[in-house]
Amino acid sequence: MSEDLKHAALEYHANPKPGKISIELSTPAETSRDLSLAYSPGVAEPVKAIAEDPENAYKYTAKGNLVAVITDGSAILGLGNLGPLASKPVMEGKSLLFKRFAGVDSIDVEVEAESPQAFIDTVRRIANTYGGINLEDIKAPECFEIERTLIEQCSIPVFHDDQHGTAIVTVAGVLNALEIQDKKIDDVKMAVLGAGAAAISCTKLLILAGMKPENIFMCDRKGVIHSGRDDLNQYKQGFAVDTDKRTFDDAIDGADIFLGLSGPDMVKAEQIQKMAERPIIFACANPVPEIMPDVVAAARDDAIMATGRSDFPNQVNNVLGFPFIFRGALDVRATRINEEMKLAAAQALAELAKEPVTQEVLTAYGLDELAFGRDYIIPKATDSRLLGKVSYAVAKAAIDSGVADGPMPANYPLQSLADI
Ligand SMILES: NC(=O)C1=CN([C@@H]2O[C@H](COP(=O)(O)OP(=O)(O)OC[C@H]3O[C@@H](n4cnc5c(N)ncnc54)[C@H](OP(=O)(O)O)[C@@H]3O)[C@@H](O)[C@H]2O)C=CC1
Ligand SMILES: CC(=O)C(=O)O
Ligand SMILES: [Mg+2]
């Protein structure tokens, strides 16, 4: 990052007030009458109603539109385990994105937990006060058991964004990139760098979308995950292939797709040169990708290149997923976020990229024109159509797959944030 951008980022977070979010009131609180309704004595009435029937919390409190972004700070972006407090700017950032793009009220919760069980216990005890829980930046393999247990123990949607938000957006991007590069999902070979929360979940969803497990070579710090290894945890074991490839260098040789969900500057131009013709390169580590777009552009001219960042074309980042997925899930009172809802979201994202780009998006990104193609495989985050299209797809899939407690809302598909 340039010194200028570093300085501007600190200024942005410091001013006009420290941080990026604040709480605002949704009802009048000016007069004695207002206060006697909002607080004592009036507040006793909704208290009694909720004590009688917990469902009333959705009627009389902010619960139904409130998502907690919860972390232990163990895998903050690609920066590693820097602890809960240091993760706060990222978690506030997620809350900002929830509100800005989907009108979801969101608050960050950074937990100091000495063990996964302590984290689970803490989250379980506070879960019911929210409409949903977005787990964020919790490292693998602990994240898998944490999420599984919390889904089991909570009656509201619990969703580990680094796993599923990333997977939904990655699948959308890969489907469109394959179409542009004229390749078939059941035919392509993929090298994955990283075998953590994001890499494992993205790979699973790509397999669900049609990619063949035997064509996928996943690598961790020790190299290719193959069936001869005896040091694999149960999650990595699911991706062990019978192959004589051993290093990442072997894995990327001839690959059609590179999916990076590991850390900064891991990939060399020579490795990109060894990929198949018309390759697809998703270097998604944040904030510094596995390889920079200019290095790829210098290495070859037939690649589709994506990163997780806002300052390059093709931003493959879970920001395109979690705000709208929770919007849809909350609005139909989904009890969980299942595979049908994830694939529906991916499909809606992929389809939106093929529609004409609006002036609003061109202006936000300082562009004169943009159309579906190598530099535009996935919608831009500021495309206001994401709200209506993705939340509707998720809500419909929740209803069709039987996990929604409520009907399709009368105001769906949403036209804008003003509808919320
Ligand atoms: N663009 C996006 O939307 C998203 C991007 N990401 C990015 O993905 C990356 C991983 O995040 P996440 O999955 O949550 O973190 P995890 O801690 O769960 O996983 C990190 C993985 O990266 C691997 N890794 C780290 N260094 C190397 C290396 N030198 N060579 C090979 N593998 C390596 C680790 O290997 P090992 O298992 O051997 O320790 C581990 O499997 C981060 O950079 C993050 O910013 C994550 C979510 C969303
Ligand atoms: C984008 C994101 O969630 C990450 O890099 O961890
Ligand atoms: Mg994250």
Side-chain angles (χ1 to χ4, degrees):
M1 216 187 310
S2 70
E3 287 307 312
D4 264 8
L5 197 56
K6 284 184 193 171
H7 179 72
L10 291 176
E11 281 297 306
Y12 177 93
H13 284 80
N15 294 306
K17 287 184 192 167
K20 294 187 289 241
I21 56 171
S22 72
I23 289 177
E24 61 195 41
L25 306 189
S26 57
T27 52
E30 302 309 317
T31 64
S32 137
R33 168 122 182 120
D34 292 342
L35 294 182
S36 62
L37 297 176
Y39 196 43
S40 188
V43 71
E45 293 314 303
V47 168
K48 286 187 267 182
I50 294 167
E52 236 168 64
D53 179 1
E55 275 298 293
N56 280 326
Y58 288 94
K59 190 168 176 191
Y60 295 125
T61 76
K63 171 177 166 123
N65 193 41
L66 184 61
V67 170
V69 176
I70 311 189
T71 189
D72 61 359
S74 59
I76 310 174
L77 309 176
L79 303 171
N81 186 351
L82 302 182
L85 190 59
S87 75
K88 196 167 170 68
V90 176
M91 303 311 132
E92 280 193 355
K94 297 282 174 179
S95 292
L96 172 150
L97 299 167
F98 264 120
K99 185 73 176 176
R100 162 67 181 84
F101 293 126
V104 174
D105 293 324
S106 170
I107 188 77
D108 58 302
V109 181
E110 293 78 18
V111 179
E112 287 181 19
E114 64 281 10
S115 66
Q117 191 57 49
F119 182 84
I120 290 168
D121 290 342
T122 305
V123 176
R124 182 177 46 78
R125 288 191 171 112
I126 60 170
N128 207 20
T129 206
Y130 304 104
I133 288 176
N134 185 77
L135 299 173
E136 190 68 43
D137 289 2
I138 302 169
K139 76 179 175 66
E142 293 81 355
C143 63
F144 301 119
E145 188 57 15
I146 286 173
E147 189 199 39
R148 192 193 63 73
T149 311
L150 285 171
I151 287 174
E152 207 175 276
Q153 297 184 353
C154 300
S155 56
I156 55 169
V158 176
F159 175 89
H160 183 196
D161 175 41
D162 298 284
Q163 291 186 56
H164 316 298
T166 316
I168 288 161
V169 179
T170 300
V171 166
V174 165
L175 291 177
N176 279 350
L178 286 170
E179 185 177 326
I180 294 162
Q181 298 292 57
D182 196 19
K183 298 192 179 207
K184 297 266 172 289
I185 193 159
D186 55 1
D187 211 26
V188 286
K189 291 194 168 51
M190 177 168 78
V192 184
L193 190 57
I200 283 188
S201 194
C202 287
T203 306
K204 268 191 192 161
L205 204 63
L206 282 166
I207 291 170
L208 205 61
M211 204 174 279
K212 294 217 172 102
E214 64 268 28
N215 287 342
I216 300 171
F217 304 98
M218 186 182 281
C219 303
D220 63 8
R221 288 171 215 264
K222 293 189 180 154
V224 172
I225 292 180
H226 63 86
S227 46
R229 276 178 66 174
D230 58 8
D231 60 345
L232 301 172
N233 64 39
Q234 59 172 302
Y235 309 101
K236 291 181 183 177
Q237 247 164 31
F239 299 93
V241 280
D242 203 3
T243 177
D244 50 14
K245 291 179 189 288
R246 290 294 178 264
T247 62
F248 173 66
D249 209 48
D250 298 336
I252 201 165
D253 194 354
D256 301 280
I257 303 178
F258 163 67
L259 175 58
L261 289 156
S262 53
D265 296 323
M266 305 270 180
V267 179
K268 299 184 185 66
E270 303 79 65
Q271 292 172 320
I272 295 297
Q273 277 163 345
K274 294 200 307 185
M275 291 182 72
E277 61 181 9
R278 293 174 279 111
I280 296 163
I281 298 163
F282 282 20
C284 293
N286 287 309
V288 181
E290 286 77 1
I291 187 164
M292 294 299 273
D294 61 330
V295 180
V296 170
R300 53 195 304 164
D301 59 11
D302 59 347
I304 285 181
M305 175 71 201
T307 69
R309 293 170 45 145
S310 305
D311 52 352
F312 295 119
N314 296 333
Q315 183 181 23
V316 171
N317 188 303
N318 49 37
V319 62
L320 294 175
F322 68 84
F324 317 109
I325 290 158
F326 270 97
R327 179 77 275 149
L330 291 173
D331 288 347
V332 296
R333 293 281 306 283
T335 51
R336 55 185 300 138
I337 295 169
N338 60 22
E339 304 309 300
E340 288 89 338
M341 293 156 80
K342 293 175 199 167
L343 281 177
Q347 205 63 49
L349 279 171
E351 280 164 17
L352 179 54
K354 296 178 192 171
E355 292 187 16
V357 177
T358 58
Q359 187 56 47
E360 147 201 74
V361 170
L362 294 176
T363 306
Y365 285 79
L367 299 167
D368 293 328
E369 56 182 347
L370 191 60
F372 185 61
R374 273 169 49 185
D375 281 337
Y376 182 60
I377 60 168
I378 191 132
K380 299 283 192 194
T382 60
D383 192 328
S384 59
R385 296 169 298 180
L386 284 164
L387 174 66
K389 289 187 186 293
V390 183
S391 62
Y392 179 82
V394 169
K396 182 168 185 316
I399 292 168
D400 292 349
S401 61
V403 296
D405 278 351
M408 184 66 83
N411 61 354
Y412 263 47
L414 297 166
Q415 298 303 311
S416 76
L417 288 171
D419 287 351
I420 295 160

